[in-house]
Amino acid sequence: MLELDNQLTKIVHVNVRNERHGDEQVLGMDMRLQTRMSNDSLAMFSPTLKSSFYHKDDSVQGDLVTSADHLPNLKNPKIGVIKWDGTWEHQLLKILDKAKKQDGLTLDDVRVKKLSIEMQEGGTVFYNYLVQAHPDEKTAARVIALLGQEVHMSLGVDEDAQESVE
């Protein structure tokens, strides 16, 4: 499961729409997000994923980094984008404002899906994914104002939403 802890994330695209929940109109929002992380983050999905795609080429790196788990080189550089199957329900997304902590945004009970992983030479991994939420109008406007920008975000299980389902 994708988890973020104060990670710099770009808001690539936002789509706002009205949804019908019974007789009620509810604001819905899709956000296409991109997060850049170290290839160590691949362990969120499988402990062997990093070593499946990366290795250390001593002829290129030399003795700059001696750590055995430092694997910066792609085994198959032409592999392209990998789609990761799964949908994660009842997540909590926090968009943090570093300057004014009280002005951060919280979107609860969001759904994360359509995850793709783009691995780069050097050990950087780009995660592209879709977050679906039901914000109020003020929160939606603030998210739209951040379109195209990189902001710090945290993403994890929404304990309150999890409990209400169980």
Side-chain angles (χ1 to χ4, degrees), residues 36-55:
R36 180 180 56 225
M37 298 173 77
S38 159
N39 63 3
D40 291 331
S41 64
L42 292 168
M44 289 185 283
F45 304 100
S46 170
T48 61
L49 201 55
K50 177 180 171 182
S51 61
S52 296
F53 292 102
Y54 285 94
H55 70 104

Side-chain angles (χ1 to χ4, degrees), residues 39 54 61 70-74 120-124:
N39 63 3
Y54 285 94
Q61 296 295 323
H70 179 68
L71 306 173
N73 305 107
L74 282 169
Q120 305 288 308
E121 186 69 28
T124 300

Side-chain angles (χ1 to χ4, degrees), residues 3-126:
E3 293 181 358
L4 306 177
D5 184 23
N6 200 12
Q7 289 293 156
L8 199 56
T9 300
K10 184 174 184 175
I11 301 175
V12 177
H13 181 77
V14 175
N15 179 43
V16 182
R17 67 189 177 290
N18 281 320
E19 296 178 358
R20 196 169 273 295
H21 292 194
D23 292 334
E24 186 181 353
Q25 289 276 27
V26 176
L27 183 64
M29 174 181 277
D30 296 336
M31 292 178 286
R32 173 72 50 198
L33 303 177
Q34 181 182 69
T35 305
R36 180 180 56 225
M37 298 173 77
S38 159
N39 63 3
D40 291 331
S41 64
L42 292 168
M44 289 185 283
F45 304 100
S46 170
T48 61
L49 201 55
K50 177 180 171 182
S51 61
S52 296
F53 292 102
Y54 285 94
H55 70 104
K56 183 176 180 185
D57 184 351
D58 288 324
S59 67
V60 175
Q61 296 295 323
D63 293 328
L64 295 176
V65 179
T66 58
S67 173
D69 63 342
H70 179 68
L71 306 173
N73 305 107
L74 282 169
K75 288 181 178 178
N76 299 290
K78 296 194 183 276
I79 199 157
V81 176
I82 295 173
K83 293 185 180 182
W84 193 265
D85 193 29
T87 299
W88 298 275
E89 305 276 345
H90 313 297
Q91 300 294 297
L92 183 69
L93 179 70
K94 293 183 180 180
I95 302 173
L96 310 168
D97 186 335
K98 293 299 235 178
K100 306 176 211 165
K101 291 189 186 233
Q102 72 276 11
D103 287 345
L105 302 173
T106 300
L107 298 165
D108 57 353
D109 200 18
V110 303
R111 176 185 300 145
V112 179
K113 62 185 202 173
K114 296 187 179 181
L115 175 66
S116 65
I117 303 169
E118 186 178 347
M119 292 172 271
Q120 305 288 308
E121 186 69 28
T124 300
V125 177
F126 287 98

